[in-house]
Amino acid sequence: MKHCALSCMSTMTHKSTNLKKTDPLIHKLCLSEQKRQNSCIELIASENFTSIPVLECLGSVFTNKYSEGYVGNRYYGGNEIVDELETICKKRALEAFDLDEFEWDCNVQCYSGSPANFAVYTALLNPHDRIMGLDLPSGGHLTHGFYNSKGVKVSATSKFFESLPYVVDKNTGYIDYEDLHKKALAFRPKLIICGGSAYPREWDYARFRDVADDVNAILMCDMAHISGLVAGKQAVSPFSYVDVVTTTTHKSLRGPRSGIIFFRKEYGKKINSAVFPGLQGGPHNHQIAALAVALNQVKTPEFKDYIFQVRKNSRVLAEYLINKGYTITTNGTDNHLFLLDLRPLNISGLLLQTVCDLCNITLNKNSIPGDKSAMFPGGVRIGSCAMTTRGLKDIDFEIIGLFIHRAISICLLLSEQEKNDIEIIKNRNDIIELRRDVEVFTSDFMKVPSLLEDI
């Protein structure tokens, strides 16, 4: 009887408490981050604001359930509902990209994009097999085999596999397909990767297919950044040309932080085995539930209108800065992002990122083709997904362009001492004034969706 009473009391306590009561410090940090996101112009190309239904799934009881294995073949019992969930999520993933279920399948258990990429490599390659991906300073991704200019193997991909990157033309910023073809013929890679994290133009998938066929290589696309544009018909789809496609789900797709691997069915057994038991344990079922919701949203007219505006806003902002005399790599963009080259102004991407942070403008320093250092690069990457989610249109992105112009103007006025001491510059009148203008500007738009009370 005493045990029962204690058990009931414990259960009641668990039910009646919330974050604010049980951990006010973390609750305060959550509210602070919520306030930061609402008062900032968010231009990081890999970030977005997901919906309340997605957040509800991420905080659901699916987080409690272990379900190692796949539908109908789990290690643990009690997975009949999880099986139903994962089946729905996979079906929605194929539908979102108009894929034939007799030709394509997918794995929705990946924790994020980088593990998804590595799962493909370990499934289809042997240690020290050769791969080719776009070089990081050219707009590629760390997981595509990056090593730095001194030959240091930075990513696990370059450590376990032999990598030879292809590059963009330093003058045009476009992928040099002739150089890619020549390198592939000499290097004979087993896998070629198209896709990147900072490439503003369309990918010529047919050209990649020709190169892959010439050297008998598997062709993989990492569409992490543009998956939402592909689903919304605002970017060319890679699926007609490639063998495997990976993606994150939180960028332009506007879902949870998760990953998907799409594959032609002949690769299914190897890829599924690489994900589990090869690299991961039990899947994060709350993520799979949230992903299923996001994929359902992708099919709506509202999402299609949104992703159209994402691309339009990116182009409007790039054109505004070009008209102000700034240098944009490739002189424009075909997608949700572009690179602002600051080298003609003799300021670094790190400096502009720092000044923008102080002014409530969030963007990231980024390598520009020809750069030697990722930590002190010559430019910044700018994306339109997040602020488009908050409802911003063409004219609003022109105002953002003016804010960026003002931030650059501040950078040009700083002394060498100020450039090296944030404490000095954060109290400059021009920075305070720009921060105030940004806060007023952002207050007019939709609040960032959150499960916590408004502040």
Side-chain angles (χ1 to χ4, degrees):
M1 188 72 178
K2 183 179 179 181
H3 173 76
C4 180
L6 288 172
S7 177
C8 290
M9 183 173 66
S10 174
T11 302
M12 289 299 292
T13 303
H14 187 66
K15 285 183 178 179
S16 63
T17 56
N18 57 27
L19 179 62
K20 185 175 183 179
K21 291 180 179 178
T22 59
D23 201 328
L25 175 59
I26 300 303
H27 180 261
K28 181 181 178 181
L29 290 177
C30 288
L31 291 180
S32 296
E33 175 60 16
Q34 184 175 322
K35 181 179 179 181
R36 186 198 68 80
Q37 290 185 18
N38 279 317
S39 62
C40 280
I41 294 174
E42 180 54 73
L43 299 174
I44 293 179
S46 52
E47 292 187 8
N48 209 333
F49 304 122
T50 198
S51 68
I52 291 291
V54 167
L55 293 174
E56 287 176 331
C57 287
L58 290 174
S60 72
V61 295
F62 275 116
T63 198
N64 301 329
K65 187 67 190 119
Y66 236 114
S67 52
E68 289 182 344
Y70 292 100
V71 175
N73 188 26
R74 306 286 184 176
Y75 181 75
Y76 297 104
N79 274 296
E80 59 274 8
I81 298 172
V82 169
D83 279 2
E84 185 177 354
L85 170 68
E86 188 168 327
T87 299
I88 290 171
C89 188
K90 290 178 63 177
K91 183 174 184 292
R92 289 180 178 180
L94 295 176
E95 289 174 348
F97 296 95
D98 300 321
L99 299 179
D100 184 343
E101 63 180 3
F102 295 104
E103 184 180 358
W104 286 88
D105 200 354
C106 63
N107 187 306
V108 296
Q109 293 191 7
C110 303
Y111 298 153
S112 63
S114 293
N117 286 349
F118 204 71
V120 174
Y121 305 151
T122 57
L124 305 182
L125 305 174
N126 293 314
H128 302 294
D129 274 348
R130 296 179 174 187
I131 66 170
M132 288 183 67
L134 183 62
D135 200 19
L136 186 68
S138 286
H141 191 260
L142 277 169
T143 60
H144 298 173
F146 176 65
Y147 51 84
N148 67 22
S149 58
K150 297 180 180 179
V152 177
K153 296 183 175 182
V154 177
S155 72
T157 312
S158 62
K159 292 178 180 178
F160 290 101
F161 306 100
E162 303 304 318
S163 170
L164 179 67
Y166 58 91
V167 297
V168 298
D169 185 289
K170 291 181 181 179
N171 296 318
T172 67
Y174 283 81
I175 290 172
D176 188 337
Y177 287 99
E178 291 297 327
D179 180 67
L180 161 63
H181 203 162
K182 290 178 182 176
K183 283 182 176 178
L185 288 171
F187 190 59
R188 313 299 292 189
K190 189 173 180 180
L191 178 77
I192 297 175
I193 307 154
C194 50
S197 64
Y199 186 66
R201 294 300 184 177
E202 285 285 8
W203 296 79
D204 190 342
Y205 299 114
R207 193 80 177 268
F208 273 98
R209 181 75 264 170
D210 289 341
V211 174
D213 288 344
D214 252 7
V215 297
N216 196 30
I218 298 166
L219 183 58
M220 167 185 154
C221 174
D222 178 349
M223 65 170 187
H225 267 271
I226 61 169
S227 57
L229 286 92
V230 173
K233 305 297 190 292
Q234 293 301 312
V236 175
S237 174
F239 287 97
S240 297
Y241 301 97
V242 305
D243 304 300
V244 180
V245 177
T246 62
T247 185
T248 53
T249 59
H250 57 278
K251 299 182 178 86
S252 57
L253 208 56
R254 207 163 58 175
R257 299 182 71 92
S258 183
I260 311 175
I261 305 173
F262 296 93
F263 44 83
R264 295 186 185 273
K265 286 208 164 182
E266 60 263 35
Y267 299 106
K269 186 175 181 180
K270 288 183 177 180
I271 288 176
N272 285 333
S273 295
V275 174
F276 175 82
L279 294 171
Q280 298 183 180
H284 295 171
N285 295 306
H286 57 305
Q287 284 184 317
I288 294 175
L291 175 56
V293 169
L295 290 168
N296 203 42
Q297 294 170 348
V298 163
K299 296 183 291 185
T300 64
E302 291 79 12
F303 182 86
K304 289 178 171 57
D305 291 342
Y306 158 74
I307 207 68
F308 173 84
Q309 192 66 46
V310 163
R311 190 174 183 228
K312 190 176 183 182
N313 286 344
S314 180
R315 286 177 160 176
V316 165
L317 181 52
E319 288 170 6
Y320 181 92
L321 292 172
I322 289 170
N323 291 335
K324 280 287 187 181
Y326 296 112
T327 302
I328 304 296
T329 62
T330 75
N331 203 37
T333 178
D334 292 326
N335 55 37
H336 65 301
L337 62 80
F338 60 88
L339 297 175
L340 174 57
D341 188 348
L342 300 167
R343 293 173 300 187
L345 303 173
N346 199 31
I347 61 177
S348 71
L350 175 60
L351 178 62
L352 180 57
Q353 176 183 305
T354 301
V355 169
C356 282
D357 266 344
L358 294 174
C359 300
N360 281 26
I361 302 169
T362 311
L363 44 71
N364 65 275
K365 62 184 180 292
N366 208 94
S367 300
I368 301 295
D371 275 347
K372 301 298 183 184
S373 171
M375 295 307 296
F376 300 97
V380 294
R381 184 182 65 168
I382 296 174
S384 62
C385 287
M387 295 311 290
T388 306
T389 291
R390 292 188 65 184
L392 277 70
K393 305 293 185 183
D394 311 29
I395 185 64
D396 306 308
F397 270 79
E398 289 185 353
I399 295 172
I400 289 175
L402 176 59
F403 289 151
I404 293 172
H405 171 64
R406 287 171 61 182
I408 294 172
S409 299
I410 293 172
C411 290
L412 294 171
L413 293 172
L414 298 178
S415 67
E416 288 303 315
Q417 182 183 5
E418 288 176 314
K419 291 177 184 178
N420 295 312
D421 193 336
I422 296 177
E423 292 302 314
I424 295 176
I425 67 173
K426 72 178 183 180
N427 293 317
R428 285 177 58 105
N429 288 335
D430 46 10
I431 285 180
I432 294 171
E433 183 180 346
L434 179 52
R435 181 169 64 245
R436 183 181 64 244
D437 290 347
V438 168
E439 289 175 350
V440 171
F441 175 74
T442 55
S443 67
D444 287 337
F445 300 100
M446 184 195 84
K447 297 296 184 184
V448 175
S450 172
L451 298 181
L452 295 179
E453 64 266 31
D454 289 336
I455 52 174

